[in-house]
Amino acid sequence: MREKKLRQFFHSLSDESRLKIVRMLMDNSELCVCDFMRLLKLSQPHVSFHIRVLKEANVITCKKVGRWVYCSLNKENPLLKAVLEFIKDIELDKEEIGCCGINQEEKL
């Protein structure tokens, strides 16, 4: 069982888009799925796939608020804690993050 979880964890980080999602969440405690769509320039189905892989590997947690889905890092995951130092070196485009141009108040 432990070997399966280890393989699943490293598989979840083997994709550039998923690594970038984790990197973005390091700088932002919580982001909306639409932020990932805009910043990664991916469609909603592609982002949802990546989110599912990260969730199943216990890398991120998600919550639904109305029609919005918000993701955050699972900081309780010991494997994730061990690799965050390496992931922080990933360069991101410095585009402003804001859910689909909607105010924070509108999201809640």
Side-chain angles (χ1 to χ4, degrees), residues 21 25 29-37 44 47-52 55 60-72 97-100 102 104 106-108:
I21 288 170
L25 288 170
S29 60
E30 187 176 73
L31 289 173
C32 181
V33 169
C34 59
D35 289 320
F36 301 128
M37 290 170 50
Q44 183 274 323
V47 171
S48 291
F49 168 77
H50 291 309
I51 294 298
R52 188 181 83 240
K55 259 178 74 171
I60 64 171
T61 59
C62 297
K63 69 177 180 182
K64 190 168 183 171
V65 179
R67 59 181 236 189
W68 308 105
V69 176
Y70 296 92
C71 302
S72 58
I97 294 176
C99 182
C100 306
I102 296 173
Q104 286 292 95
E106 290 181 41
K107 289 196 273 186
L108 303 175

Side-chain angles (χ1 to χ4, degrees), residues 48-103:
S48 291
F49 168 77
H50 291 309
I51 294 298
R52 188 181 83 240
V53 170
L54 290 167
K55 259 178 74 171
E56 289 174 354
N58 206 23
V59 173
I60 64 171
T61 59
C62 297
K63 69 177 180 182
K64 190 168 183 171
V65 179
R67 59 181 236 189
W68 308 105
V69 176
Y70 296 92
C71 302
S72 58
L73 290 178
N74 179 4
K75 300 212 174 169
E76 301 301 315
N77 183 329
L79 291 172
L80 181 60
K81 287 180 186 180
V83 299
L84 282 178
E85 185 68 26
F86 299 99
I87 295 174
K88 78 172 186 167
D89 293 333
I90 295 173
E91 296 282 329
L92 294 174
D93 294 334
K94 295 296 179 188
E95 189 174 332
E96 186 178 335
I97 294 176
C99 182
C100 306
I102 296 173
N103 294 336

